[in-house]
Amino acid sequence: MRNITKTFGSTVANENAQLDIYRGEILAILGENGSGKTTLMNMLAGIYYPDSGQIYYDGKEIVIASPGDAFSYGIGMIHQHFKLVNVLSAAENVALGLKEKGRFNIKKVAARIRELCDQYGFELDPEEKIYNMSVSQKQTVEIIKVLYRGADILILDEPTAVLTPQETEKLFRVLRNMRDAGKAVVIITHKMSEVEELSDRVVVLRKGAYVGDVLTKDTNAEEMTNMLVGHKVTLEIVRPEPVNPKPRIEVKDLVVRSEEGILKLKNISFTAKSGEILGIAGVSGNGQKELLEAIAGLQPVESGSIRYIRDDGGSDELVGRDPYDIQRMGVSLSFVPEDRLGMGLVGSMDITENMMLRSYRRGHTFLLDQKKPHSVAEDVVHDLSVNTPNLETPVRRLSGGNVQKVLVGREIASAPKVLLTAYAVRGLDINSSYTIYDLINEQKKQGVAVIYVGEDLDVLLALADRILVLCDGQVSGIVDARETDKYEVGMMMTRLSKKEKEA
Amino acid sequence: MREKVHEPLFHIVKRKSLNWYRAWGIRILAILIAFALDALITTMVTGLNPVGVYGAIFKGSFGTARKFWVLMQNIAILLCVSIAVTPAFKMKFWNVGGEGQILVGALATAACMILLGDLPTAALLPIMIVASIAAGALWGVIPAFFKAYWNTNETLFTLMMNYVATQLVAFFVIVWEVPKGAGQIGIINQSTQNGWFPSIGNNKYLINILVVAALTVFVYFYLRYSKHGYEISVVGGSEKTARYIGIKVEKVIMRTMALSGALCGIAGLLLVAGTNHTVTTSISGGRGFTAVMVAWLAQFNPFAMILTSFLIVFMERGASAISSDFGLNASYADILTGVILFCIIASEFFVNYQLIFRKKERKED
């Protein structure tokens, strides 16, 4: 790819970007949010069309105007969000959109899938329905779908974001097999450790432009980060000692059922303390969401109690109250939900209007106070250095990191006593992630009880004071983050240990 | 592999943002293109001079003082219905039941005028106002209630409520028909004029226009500056977010639809007490649906709706003029209106997207 430029309106996603992909090599593309990694790859996969620039394949200039064109050159992309039909089986999903001559024969498709599985070391049952599959199995289906179409160049957009360490290892093994079979593999990632472990070569993008291209074995995390950010940064998460921790939230025998009647949380008990970060680890979908929503008053609780312990030692029951009730009780509870634009913010509203969400009820008149939220918005934009054209920009137009800063900024602006965060840095680049860690640490120092649901175990281990591991809606253990390691937690995530009752 | 490299001529890109004046520039340009297209079609199909046809349309709307006031009155009613459906639409509640809500408001007004016809206007009017508002609000709240608690489809529900309202009116038309067997109510209280809106100066439509003007300002401020208006935007933007901050979504849906229905009810009141002094099944004249278009074209800004409702009423009035002046039938004007609407709607595409023509640049080697 040469001199590729792509703009969206006034935003330049890629500017004169270039990239070489070789067969039999795993290439990692590293870049911050909005540095144009995904856009560049989308142009290769035929989703977008470049404004200018050329793409060469085996030395010849080609035009990729549609995903169909991309496939004809053997380029296949596995997106971050899977594009599968839930009610169909794996084989049926693979067969969708195939234009093979002759009668349609699902058995033949399934047989070919089994062949591919054996060849590269996948584990997959082609007859299984998608809705019965785990995230990692769905990802496997996506990869097979691309391989089935004869792809020689596989592009994976942040493939490990949703996997456990064990699943990640498995994926990496498969990718290495593909490389050894002569295919070109491209992975887009933020995670340094993965680049080091998996890739042969790294391309770094910054602000849409190509920064450099190094062999992985000749570089290290420090150097790559410097290339990435453009200046020197230190990769360390500080963990201040908790100051005077006191119980703040006490959860006892909590049972939650989803709307479909599935048991999501089974007898959860734990205590979150002020001035402490309680990390929650677990494969996504094991009850983290329900747990936080239950505390925030958004999830109907079947049985059990959630008590908020006030400074004077008295306590209030939170079960059975909605968020507004909780606010009126004087419980200052902030919640940064997983689905930022779907739940925490209104995408079509601007920053000021989003700041009002928590506070608009203030005042006794019928009319809104728009002045105070405006100054809060100014403060948040300034303090957290939110990158936005102005305060009137709808938040959905901001990049992921900036959206998160707006949300976190609003939630801590109310000086909370309890801060719940779900995947606070998901999809955020290194710089933004560290900003968020700092903000969370700042809250901890001020005596806030922080409950931090995370997916990156390295971060959880470095940031949290204690880690509660959820598995299948149960607490499989609460461990001291200073004394455990990734593999112990990883094992607890997939298997219930006997340590349950300890905490 | 392909031999030749075919580059697409252009591709489509979403615009990041557009100044309001450029956006309106595009829209106005669209209307001008529409007029030019209409002129072209007119010359080609009928051989008439398009300038003459446009002149007739203009005269049909503004030609005489009476025509002008009829035009203003029609704009007022359409505007009233448009601002009525707007709060619901801002909440993403697809209220296509404006028609039914107008009808029940009109029916309630007529019922008061007929049953309490002996009361003087001063006493009758407040009762009519309350009755029409209550009827419209009720018609709006019923689908809202089912939507809020059982998540029924509000589009179908409000649509069905239209038919119920039409049949209700048809039933009462027979009950109250004058004379028996006429199949229509006729002018209510013709001699006493009880319950009729008084004329201001010499103008019998002025009250309608003033009422709607006041309501338009009210709806604008309600949506833009009140806590309720803010809640509507939040529920419309994301129901989950609304619940997350503790807004009772069910309550907001019902409250907003009550308002929406009440405003439609007022439109019914204006039609019966201010304009027609009778009620028929076709009294709303499809305004419940036209209003959806008016509101949408104005991007749910009540003040912009003054313009969009003017455009539509102006074309409708002009249509009847050219059908009589040139012996073209009224459908011809519908074609012209259709072209204009098509252009306006298409212009939204260019407000949101732009075409990028690929720059011709040579390869380095």
Short mmCIF file of all heavy atoms in Angstrom, two decimals, chain A residues 348-384:
data_model
loop_
_atom_site.label_atom_id
_atom_site.label_comp_id
_atom_site.label_asym_id
_atom_site.label_seq_id
_atom_site.Cartn_x
_atom_site.Cartn_y
_atom_site.Cartn_z
N SER A 348 -26.32 11.48 20.60
CA SER A 348 -26.72 12.59 19.74
C SER A 348 -26.63 13.93 20.47
O SER A 348 -26.78 14.97 19.86
CB SER A 348 -28.14 12.35 19.24
OG SER A 348 -28.99 12.13 20.33
N MET A 349 -26.41 13.89 21.78
CA MET A 349 -26.34 15.15 22.53
C MET A 349 -24.90 15.63 22.64
O MET A 349 -23.96 14.84 22.54
CB MET A 349 -26.89 14.92 23.94
CG MET A 349 -28.38 14.73 23.97
SD MET A 349 -28.91 14.63 25.68
CE MET A 349 -30.65 14.84 25.47
N ASP A 350 -24.76 16.93 22.89
CA ASP A 350 -23.40 17.45 22.99
C ASP A 350 -22.85 17.25 24.40
O ASP A 350 -23.52 16.69 25.28
CB ASP A 350 -23.34 18.91 22.53
CG ASP A 350 -24.12 19.83 23.45
OD1 ASP A 350 -24.27 19.51 24.64
OD2 ASP A 350 -24.58 20.88 22.97
N ILE A 351 -21.64 17.72 24.61
CA ILE A 351 -20.97 17.44 25.88
C ILE A 351 -21.71 18.09 27.04
O ILE A 351 -21.95 17.46 28.07
CB ILE A 351 -19.51 17.93 25.83
CG1 ILE A 351 -18.77 17.16 24.73
CG2 ILE A 351 -18.81 17.75 27.15
CD1 ILE A 351 -17.34 17.60 24.52
N THR A 352 -22.13 19.34 26.85
CA THR A 352 -22.85 20.02 27.92
C THR A 352 -24.13 19.26 28.30
O THR A 352 -24.39 19.02 29.48
CB THR A 352 -23.23 21.45 27.48
OG1 THR A 352 -22.05 22.11 27.06
CG2 THR A 352 -23.87 22.21 28.61
N GLU A 353 -24.87 18.88 27.28
CA GLU A 353 -26.14 18.18 27.56
C GLU A 353 -25.88 16.84 28.26
O GLU A 353 -26.66 16.40 29.08
CB GLU A 353 -26.92 17.96 26.27
CG GLU A 353 -27.53 19.24 25.75
CD GLU A 353 -28.12 19.08 24.36
OE1 GLU A 353 -27.47 18.47 23.49
OE2 GLU A 353 -29.23 19.56 24.16
N ASN A 354 -24.77 16.20 27.93
CA ASN A 354 -24.44 14.95 28.59
C ASN A 354 -24.02 15.18 30.04
O ASN A 354 -24.23 14.32 30.89
CB ASN A 354 -23.36 14.20 27.82
CG ASN A 354 -23.97 13.29 26.77
OD1 ASN A 354 -24.65 12.33 27.11
ND2 ASN A 354 -23.76 13.60 25.51
N MET A 355 -23.43 16.31 30.30
CA MET A 355 -23.06 16.63 31.69
C MET A 355 -24.31 16.80 32.55
O MET A 355 -24.31 16.53 33.73
CB MET A 355 -22.26 17.94 31.74
CG MET A 355 -20.87 17.83 31.18
SD MET A 355 -19.92 16.60 32.08
CE MET A 355 -18.80 16.07 30.81
N MET A 356 -25.39 17.26 31.91
CA MET A 356 -26.63 17.51 32.65
C MET A 356 -27.32 16.24 33.11
O MET A 356 -28.16 16.29 33.99
CB MET A 356 -27.61 18.29 31.77
CG MET A 356 -27.24 19.72 31.56
SD MET A 356 -28.63 20.65 30.97
CE MET A 356 -28.80 20.10 29.32
N LEU A 357 -26.97 15.11 32.49
CA LEU A 357 -27.72 13.89 32.78
C LEU A 357 -27.87 13.65 34.28
O LEU A 357 -28.95 13.32 34.75
CB LEU A 357 -27.04 12.68 32.13
CG LEU A 357 -27.30 12.50 30.64
CD1 LEU A 357 -26.40 11.44 30.05
CD2 LEU A 357 -28.76 12.14 30.38
N ARG A 358 -26.79 13.81 35.02
CA ARG A 358 -26.84 13.54 36.46
C ARG A 358 -27.49 14.67 37.24
O ARG A 358 -28.01 14.46 38.32
CB ARG A 358 -25.43 13.32 37.00
CG ARG A 358 -24.84 11.98 36.66
CD ARG A 358 -25.38 10.90 37.58
NE ARG A 358 -24.72 9.64 37.27
CZ ARG A 358 -25.25 8.45 37.53
NH1 ARG A 358 -26.42 8.36 38.12
NH2 ARG A 358 -24.62 7.35 37.21
N SER A 359 -27.40 15.89 36.71
CA SER A 359 -27.73 17.02 37.57
C SER A 359 -28.95 17.81 37.11
O SER A 359 -29.33 18.76 37.76
CB SER A 359 -26.53 17.96 37.63
OG SER A 359 -26.23 18.42 36.33
N TYR A 360 -29.57 17.41 36.01
CA TYR A 360 -30.57 18.31 35.44
C TYR A 360 -31.79 18.52 36.35
O TYR A 360 -32.52 19.47 36.19
CB TYR A 360 -31.04 17.79 34.07
CG TYR A 360 -32.05 16.68 34.12
CD1 TYR A 360 -33.41 16.96 34.04
CD2 TYR A 360 -31.65 15.36 34.27
CE1 TYR A 360 -34.34 15.94 34.10
CE2 TYR A 360 -32.57 14.35 34.34
CZ TYR A 360 -33.92 14.63 34.25
OH TYR A 360 -34.83 13.63 34.33
N ARG A 361 -31.98 17.61 37.31
CA ARG A 361 -33.16 17.75 38.16
C ARG A 361 -33.03 18.86 39.19
O ARG A 361 -33.99 19.23 39.84
CB ARG A 361 -33.44 16.44 38.88
CG ARG A 361 -33.85 15.31 37.96
CD ARG A 361 -34.29 14.12 38.77
NE ARG A 361 -34.57 12.96 37.93
CZ ARG A 361 -33.65 12.07 37.59
NH1 ARG A 361 -32.40 12.23 37.99
NH2 ARG A 361 -33.97 11.03 36.85
N ARG A 362 -31.80 19.36 39.37
CA ARG A 362 -31.58 20.38 40.39
C ARG A 362 -32.42 21.61 40.14
O ARG A 362 -32.71 21.96 39.01
CB ARG A 362 -30.11 20.76 40.41
CG ARG A 362 -29.29 19.68 41.04
CD ARG A 362 -27.97 20.20 41.54
NE ARG A 362 -27.12 19.04 41.74
CZ ARG A 362 -25.93 18.89 41.21
NH1 ARG A 362 -25.42 19.84 40.48
NH2 ARG A 362 -25.24 17.79 41.41
N GLY A 363 -32.74 22.28 41.23
CA GLY A 363 -33.53 23.50 41.11
C GLY A 363 -35.00 23.14 41.07
O GLY A 363 -35.37 22.04 40.67
N HIS A 364 -35.82 24.06 41.54
CA HIS A 364 -37.23 23.74 41.68
C HIS A 364 -38.07 24.23 40.53
O HIS A 364 -39.26 23.98 40.48
CB HIS A 364 -37.75 24.29 43.01
CG HIS A 364 -37.07 23.63 44.17
ND1 HIS A 364 -37.33 22.33 44.53
CD2 HIS A 364 -36.10 24.06 45.00
CE1 HIS A 364 -36.56 22.00 45.54
NE2 HIS A 364 -35.79 23.03 45.85
N THR A 365 -37.45 24.94 39.60
CA THR A 365 -38.27 25.45 38.51
C THR A 365 -38.48 24.36 37.47
O THR A 365 -37.84 23.31 37.49
CB THR A 365 -37.60 26.65 37.82
OG1 THR A 365 -36.35 26.21 37.33
CG2 THR A 365 -37.41 27.79 38.77
N PHE A 366 -39.37 24.69 36.56
CA PHE A 366 -39.70 23.80 35.46
C PHE A 366 -38.59 23.82 34.42
O PHE A 366 -38.44 22.91 33.64
CB PHE A 366 -41.02 24.33 34.87
CG PHE A 366 -41.59 23.49 33.78
CD1 PHE A 366 -42.12 22.23 34.08
CD2 PHE A 366 -41.61 23.94 32.48
CE1 PHE A 366 -42.66 21.46 33.07
CE2 PHE A 366 -42.15 23.16 31.47
CZ PHE A 366 -42.68 21.93 31.77
N LEU A 367 -37.80 24.89 34.48
CA LEU A 367 -36.80 25.08 33.43
C LEU A 367 -35.45 24.48 33.81
O LEU A 367 -35.13 24.28 34.97
CB LEU A 367 -36.62 26.57 33.15
CG LEU A 367 -37.86 27.25 32.57
CD1 LEU A 367 -37.60 28.73 32.37
CD2 LEU A 367 -38.26 26.60 31.25
N LEU A 368 -34.68 24.20 32.79
CA LEU A 368 -33.36 23.62 32.97
C LEU A 368 -32.35 24.69 33.31
O LEU A 368 -32.41 25.79 32.79
CB LEU A 368 -32.90 23.01 31.64
CG LEU A 368 -33.39 21.66 31.21
CD1 LEU A 368 -32.84 21.40 29.82
CD2 LEU A 368 -32.93 20.58 32.15
N ASP A 369 -31.38 24.32 34.15
CA ASP A 369 -30.23 25.18 34.34
C ASP A 369 -29.16 24.71 33.38
O ASP A 369 -28.66 23.60 33.49
CB ASP A 369 -29.75 25.06 35.79
CG ASP A 369 -28.46 25.82 36.00
OD1 ASP A 369 -28.07 26.58 35.09
OD2 ASP A 369 -27.86 25.68 37.07
N GLN A 370 -28.85 25.54 32.38
CA GLN A 370 -27.86 25.08 31.40
C GLN A 370 -26.51 25.73 31.62
O GLN A 370 -25.55 25.41 30.94
CB GLN A 370 -28.37 25.36 29.98
CG GLN A 370 -29.60 24.51 29.69
CD GLN A 370 -30.17 24.71 28.31
OE1 GLN A 370 -30.21 25.80 27.80
NE2 GLN A 370 -30.63 23.64 27.70
N LYS A 371 -26.44 26.64 32.58
CA LYS A 371 -25.18 27.36 32.78
C LYS A 371 -24.17 26.50 33.53
O LYS A 371 -23.02 26.38 33.12
CB LYS A 371 -25.44 28.65 33.57
CG LYS A 371 -25.49 29.86 32.65
CD LYS A 371 -25.36 31.14 33.44
CE LYS A 371 -26.29 32.21 32.88
NZ LYS A 371 -27.30 32.66 33.83
N LYS A 372 -24.63 25.91 34.64
CA LYS A 372 -23.69 25.13 35.46
C LYS A 372 -23.13 23.94 34.68
O LYS A 372 -21.92 23.74 34.67
CB LYS A 372 -24.36 24.70 36.75
CG LYS A 372 -23.70 25.33 37.97
CD LYS A 372 -24.38 24.93 39.26
CE LYS A 372 -25.44 25.93 39.67
NZ LYS A 372 -26.49 25.34 40.52
N PRO A 373 -24.00 23.16 34.02
CA PRO A 373 -23.44 22.03 33.25
C PRO A 373 -22.44 22.51 32.21
O PRO A 373 -21.46 21.83 31.93
CB PRO A 373 -24.67 21.42 32.57
CG PRO A 373 -25.81 21.84 33.41
CD PRO A 373 -25.46 23.17 33.99
N HIS A 374 -22.67 23.70 31.68
CA HIS A 374 -21.74 24.22 30.69
C HIS A 374 -20.35 24.42 31.30
O HIS A 374 -19.34 24.06 30.71
CB HIS A 374 -22.26 25.54 30.12
CG HIS A 374 -21.51 26.02 28.93
ND1 HIS A 374 -21.76 25.55 27.67
CD2 HIS A 374 -20.49 26.90 28.83
CE1 HIS A 374 -20.93 26.12 26.82
NE2 HIS A 374 -20.14 26.95 27.50
N SER A 375 -20.33 24.94 32.52
CA SER A 375 -19.01 25.17 33.12
C SER A 375 -18.40 23.84 33.56
O SER A 375 -17.18 23.67 33.48
CB SER A 375 -19.11 26.16 34.29
OG SER A 375 -19.81 25.57 35.35
N VAL A 376 -19.25 22.87 33.98
CA VAL A 376 -18.72 21.54 34.28
C VAL A 376 -18.10 20.95 33.01
O VAL A 376 -17.01 20.39 33.04
CB VAL A 376 -19.83 20.60 34.81
CG1 VAL A 376 -19.28 19.18 34.97
CG2 VAL A 376 -20.39 21.10 36.12
N ALA A 377 -18.80 21.11 31.90
CA ALA A 377 -18.30 20.57 30.63
C ALA A 377 -16.96 21.21 30.29
O ALA A 377 -16.01 20.52 29.89
CB ALA A 377 -19.32 20.83 29.52
N GLU A 378 -16.87 22.53 30.48
CA GLU A 378 -15.60 23.20 30.20
C GLU A 378 -14.48 22.63 31.06
O GLU A 378 -13.38 22.37 30.58
CB GLU A 378 -15.75 24.70 30.46
CG GLU A 378 -16.29 25.43 29.26
CD GLU A 378 -16.57 26.90 29.57
OE1 GLU A 378 -16.56 27.30 30.76
OE2 GLU A 378 -16.81 27.65 28.61
N ASP A 379 -14.80 22.43 32.35
CA ASP A 379 -13.79 21.89 33.26
C ASP A 379 -13.34 20.50 32.83
O ASP A 379 -12.14 20.20 32.81
CB ASP A 379 -14.34 21.82 34.69
CG ASP A 379 -14.52 23.21 35.28
OD1 ASP A 379 -13.99 24.16 34.67
OD2 ASP A 379 -15.19 23.33 36.31
N VAL A 380 -14.31 19.64 32.51
CA VAL A 380 -13.97 18.27 32.14
C VAL A 380 -13.10 18.27 30.88
O VAL A 380 -12.07 17.60 30.82
CB VAL A 380 -15.25 17.42 31.92
CG1 VAL A 380 -14.91 16.11 31.23
CG2 VAL A 380 -15.94 17.16 33.25
N VAL A 381 -13.52 19.05 29.89
CA VAL A 381 -12.76 19.09 28.64
C VAL A 381 -11.35 19.59 28.92
O VAL A 381 -10.37 19.06 28.40
CB VAL A 381 -13.47 20.00 27.61
CG1 VAL A 381 -12.56 20.30 26.44
CG2 VAL A 381 -14.74 19.32 27.13
N HIS A 382 -11.24 20.57 29.79
CA HIS A 382 -9.92 21.13 30.08
C HIS A 382 -9.08 20.17 30.93
O HIS A 382 -7.95 19.84 30.59
CB HIS A 382 -10.09 22.47 30.79
CG HIS A 382 -8.79 23.11 31.13
ND1 HIS A 382 -8.26 23.06 32.39
CD2 HIS A 382 -7.89 23.76 30.35
CE1 HIS A 382 -7.08 23.67 32.38
NE2 HIS A 382 -6.84 24.11 31.15
N ASP A 383 -9.67 19.69 32.04
CA ASP A 383 -8.89 18.87 32.98
C ASP A 383 -8.47 17.54 32.38
O ASP A 383 -7.38 17.05 32.67
CB ASP A 383 -9.69 18.62 34.26
CG ASP A 383 -9.96 19.91 35.01
OD1 ASP A 383 -9.35 20.94 34.65
OD2 ASP A 383 -10.79 19.90 35.94
N LEU A 384 -9.33 16.93 31.62
CA LEU A 384 -9.00 15.61 31.08
C LEU A 384 -8.49 15.71 29.66
O LEU A 384 -8.38 14.72 28.96
CB LEU A 384 -10.22 14.67 31.13
CG LEU A 384 -10.97 14.56 32.45
CD1 LEU A 384 -11.97 13.42 32.39
CD2 LEU A 384 -10.02 14.32 33.60
#
